Amino acid sequence: MSKILITGGAGFIGSNAAKKFILDGHDVVIFDNLCRVGVEKNLEWLKTFGQFKFIKGDVRNFEELSHLFSDYRFDVVLHLAAQVAVTSSVLNPREDFESNALGAFNLLEAVRISAQNPVIIYSSTNKVYGGMENEKIELSGDAYKLTDYPRGIKEEYPLDFHSPYGCSKGSADQYFRDYSRIFNLRTVVFRQSCIYGYRQFGKEDQGWVAWFIIVAMTDQPMMIYGDGFQVRDILFVDDLIRAYDMAIKNINITAGQIYNIGGGVENSLSLVSFVRLLEEKMGTKLNFGHGEMRIGDQKIFISDNSKLKLNLGWEPITNYEDGIDILYKWIKDNIHFFKK
């Protein structure tokens, strides 16, 4: 049995990770400031799977993290606490920096000073690659295609932090990488594409797959920013957690590594094609408006998962049709959470 710390453990990805590790018999500690809508519901849900320790705290507070590592000795740390929306980062860059860049630095320093040597998983983002504005992009039907990257973007693609969110997550990304090189911490960075699944309380500026389903079911206005031909590869949350687990169990291979992770070409779709899929499920025509493309958005991003497959044998199991069915049913069964 391992002692596992999950910062942001009451959030969407965090609560799904906590469930997995609780069921596997590990001793789980959740550290979260509970600032996101719906997270209290996630904590109540987790109680149905077994015992865990919850500590209300904020990664922006170094003393709180330092005390945490004085009180406990952790085998594994999942650093998932973050400000997660590009639009929010533009509105409040300081809060974004403190939550993401400073929070990550505080976590790394707390580990380094404690002289512990846990495996540390960091959830980074594909936004570290910027808007990729100089790439050749063609329109094929209702979806953009990257002409020179038919299998997606690899880890060697040049970094280009764009938006305060891209800068804060990107700087944290590099800190995790360098603390492995300089201080021999056992860090693993996952540059994540669009993750979706149950327990996702989506909002307009983050968690778009869940958000589109929520607004469709609750008859709220639906807005697509840009022409809707933007393409994302979507990855079901269970597949992401499985990759975390494999990286932890194979830390002799993964320590110090950075991995792109997403649904890949096979699980990519445009926004308008997703809306059409929703219309088929609901048996009705959905009305949506168009707004200007948002700062820091990418016309297309698809993750090339080949490094993860080579190192760990990992690849997505849940195709997007099945994954969307699961999320659709979860939102429908819990629609009371989302009605105003």
Side-chain angles (χ1 to χ4, degrees):
M1 180 179 74
S2 298
K3 183 171 282 293
I4 300 176
L5 169 66
I6 308 177
T7 69
F12 160 49
I13 295 175
S15 61
N16 279 283
K19 172 192 170 184
K20 190 260 189 304
F21 291 120
I22 290 168
L23 288 175
D24 284 353
H26 298 296
D27 188 358
V28 174
V29 176
I30 291 174
F31 184 84
D32 199 300
N33 66 5
L34 303 182
C35 69
R36 291 278 292 179
V37 173
V39 292
E40 295 91 347
K41 299 180 181 72
N42 288 341
L43 288 177
E44 289 301 313
W45 172 72
L46 283 174
K47 290 177 183 177
T48 65
F49 300 105
Q51 293 186 338
F52 61 93
K53 174 74 173 177
F54 170 69
I55 298 172
K56 187 173 183 180
D58 198 310
V59 294
R60 292 173 291 186
N61 188 319
F62 176 71
E63 287 191 5
E64 289 181 0
L65 282 173
S66 183
H67 287 314
L68 191 60
F69 282 89
S70 296
D71 294 340
Y72 300 95
R73 188 164 194 87
F74 295 107
D75 302 295
V76 177
V77 177
L78 273 61
H79 183 56
L80 310 179
Q83 191 293 114
V84 293
V86 172
T87 49
S88 297
S89 79
V90 174
L91 293 172
N92 195 339
R94 178 176 292 277
E95 181 178 22
D96 175 82
F97 170 82
E98 291 176 349
S99 297
N100 294 349
L102 179 61
F105 177 75
N106 284 342
L107 185 279
L108 286 167
E109 276 292 278
V111 173
R112 184 182 69 85
I113 293 170
S114 73
Q116 297 184 30
N117 192 28
V119 175
I120 309 173
I121 303 293
Y122 176 58
S123 62
S124 186
T125 172
N126 61 29
K127 294 295 188 291
V128 301
Y129 299 115
M132 303 188 298
E133 295 91 349
N134 297 323
E135 293 302 331
K136 295 177 184 177
I137 296 174
E138 59 183 280
L139 185 61
S140 176
D142 61 2
Y144 288 117
K145 294 179 68 175
L146 275 169
T147 306
D148 297 331
Y149 298 91
R151 297 303 301 172
I153 300 300
K154 292 189 175 185
E155 294 81 1
E156 296 80 11
Y157 191 89
L159 300 178
D160 181 22
F161 306 158
H162 189 184
S163 79
Y165 174 78
C167 290
S168 65
K169 292 292 286 186
S171 60
D173 175 305
Q174 293 299 285
Y175 263 106
F176 275 91
R177 183 185 187 208
D178 210 51
Y179 265 55
S180 176
R181 292 188 295 201
I182 302 300
F183 301 115
N184 295 315
L185 297 190
R186 297 188 295 167
T187 68
V188 188
V189 174
F190 284 93
R191 291 177 181 161
Q192 298 168 188
S193 200
C194 292
I195 313 301
Y196 71 105
Y198 22 57
R199 313 308 303 178
Q200 187 171 33
F201 295 85
K203 298 173 66 176
E204 187 176 43
D205 58 357
Q206 197 273 332
W208 68 272
V209 177
W211 175 247
F212 276 17
I213 299 173
I214 291 165
V215 298
M217 285 190 181
T218 56
D219 200 28
Q220 297 180 56
M222 181 180 289
M223 182 70 73
I224 289 179
Y225 294 93
D227 52 26
F229 302 141
Q230 301 101 303
V231 168
R232 298 291 182 268
D233 62 327
I234 63 175
L235 180 68
F236 196 67
V237 67
D238 286 352
D239 285 331
L240 175 68
I241 305 305
R242 182 167 49 86
Y244 287 174
D245 190 44
M246 293 172 75
I248 293 164
K249 290 175 178 175
N250 294 277
I251 193 62
N252 58 314
I253 297 172
T254 59
Q257 296 297 316
I258 291 175
Y259 296 101
N260 286 354
I261 183 168
V265 174
E266 294 77 14
N267 292 293
S268 63
L269 73 170
S270 69
L271 302 188
V272 292
S273 61
F274 177 72
V275 171
R276 291 198 189 102
L277 191 154
L278 258 186
E279 288 175 337
E280 291 177 11
K281 286 184 179 300
M282 300 187 71
T284 186
K285 186 74 174 174
L286 297 174
N287 295 317
F288 56 89
H290 278 281
E292 291 291 323
M293 196 161 176
R294 294 186 288 201
I295 294 172
D297 200 3
Q298 299 156 322
K299 281 191 172 182
I300 177 172
F301 188 90
I302 297 174
S303 176
D304 184 330
N305 299 317
S306 57
K307 182 178 176 181
L308 260 177
K309 186 173 182 179
L310 177 66
N311 283 186
L312 299 178
W314 179 94
E315 55 187 343
I317 291 175
T318 310
N319 64 58
Y320 75 79
E321 293 95 342
D322 292 342
I324 290 170
D325 279 345
I326 294 169
L327 177 57
Y328 185 91
K329 183 180 186 304
W330 180 78
I331 292 174
K332 186 176 181 180
D333 290 345
N334 294 279
I335 196 65
H336 57 282
F337 288 160
F338 307 102
K339 288 184 175 179
K340 295 181 179 179

